[in-house]
Amino acid sequence: MTSTRTPQLQGSPAGDAKLRTPRRAGFSQRIGRWDVKVSPYLYISPFFLLFIVTGLFPLLYTGFVSVHEWGLIKGQGDYVGLQNFTTVLQQQIFWKAVRNTLSIFLLSSIPQIAMALVIAALLDANLRAKTFWRMGVLVPYVVAPVAVALIFGQMFADQSGVINQILRDLGIPTVRWHSQVLASHIAIATMVNFRWTGYNTLILLAAMQAIPRDIYEAALIDGANRVRQFFSVTIPMLRPAIIFVIITSTIGGLQIFDEPRMFDQFGRGGSDQQYLTLTNYIYQLGWAQKNFGRAAAVAWLLFLIIVAIGIVNYLITRRISSEQQGGKKRKKVRA
């Protein structure tokens, strides 16, 4: 017996409605969608949780302490507002610490980044025993900073130090490394450079190895020698890595503590505070004078200085990169 119902074609409205009817997603499909959307945030969440616990909370709590009278024994006292900040800013020792910190930072960071660039370029060349030399530059970073400070403190001793003995043999007047302001800053900056140059070298070396070799081959065909390739190819391609190294060196250089603390046996930043840094000043306020409120105020001022210098570094590097990109565009237009 034949059926009287006519089949519905795909082109008919009823057939299209059936085809367009959305299927309900199953539970496994929903889990898969949630996994794609949520899992990246779960992977990066441990960093932000640790940052909140170890970074953001101490920063905010330090700000809370800085607006109170806070002692080691009595604890929290009365609310004083910005009195701790004004008191600190009126003290001459604070400005000495700022001067010393900025001086040591400049004497260490600028030569450190320059030496790291040169050493990374040498290690990127076709050398024998590459692994040995690359691991060798990281050895000073592994040494404890206290040991480095003690060794260099003896080397830069005013009377019997190795450096002054070499100067005497060369007929050069000896230097009072612990008494003179600039000399003490150079000695401390030497310790910092000894410790951190290898660390920055490996960062820049990793960035150099990521540069495509085709660019160097094209520059070689155009007649560029190794020096020209370094300044015209390597440094422009290393701009992101150099910016990262500058920012980390700025933060670390302004927070220097171990080297000036261990430069002499007293740890007070010199007889006239000639190499007292801001972090050492915070330590003296907090533990020697038992005034946590003023120590917290200096800590917040140091934080603001780091932020300000970081913003200046960012603006300078951004302007340099924009000028370089504008110059490349003008050259393309002329060509």
Side-chain angles (χ1 to χ4, degrees), residues 63 80 92-93 95 118 121 134 138 188 219:
V80 294
Q92 186 179 3
I93 187 174
W95 296 107
V118 174
R134 291 172 183 175
L138 196 61
I188 295 172

Side-chain angles (χ1 to χ4, degrees), residues 29-43:
Q29 293 179 347
R30 293 180 181 177
I31 293 296
R33 293 177 183 176
W34 292 344
D35 179 61
V36 173
K37 294 180 179 179
V38 178
S39 59
Y41 299 98
L42 293 178
Y43 293 146

Side-chain angles (χ1 to χ4, degrees), residues 130-147:
K130 289 183 179 181
T131 306
F132 172 77
W133 296 112
R134 291 172 183 175
M135 294 299 296
V137 298
L138 196 61
V139 172
Y141 176 73
V142 181
V143 181
V146 175

Side-chain angles (χ1 to χ4, degrees), residues 100 178 260-261 264 266-277 280 284:
N100 299 336
H178 287 75
R261 173 71 180 173
D264 62 358
F266 301 105
R268 298 175 183 175
S271 57
D272 194 29
Q273 288 84 36
Q274 61 267 20
Y275 51 88
L276 177 72
T277 59
N280 293 131
Q284 289 185 7

Side-chain angles (χ1 to χ4, degrees), residues 47-67 70 255 282 292 295-301 303:
F47 166 78
F48 289 100
L49 293 176
L50 290 175
F51 171 74
I52 291 172
V53 174
T54 62
L56 184 60
F57 173 74
L59 181 65
L60 298 177
Y61 189 72
T62 303
F64 177 76
V65 174
S66 65
V67 295
W70 208 291
Q255 292 179 344
I282 293 171
F292 286 167
V298 177
W300 254 91
L301 291 173
F303 169 73

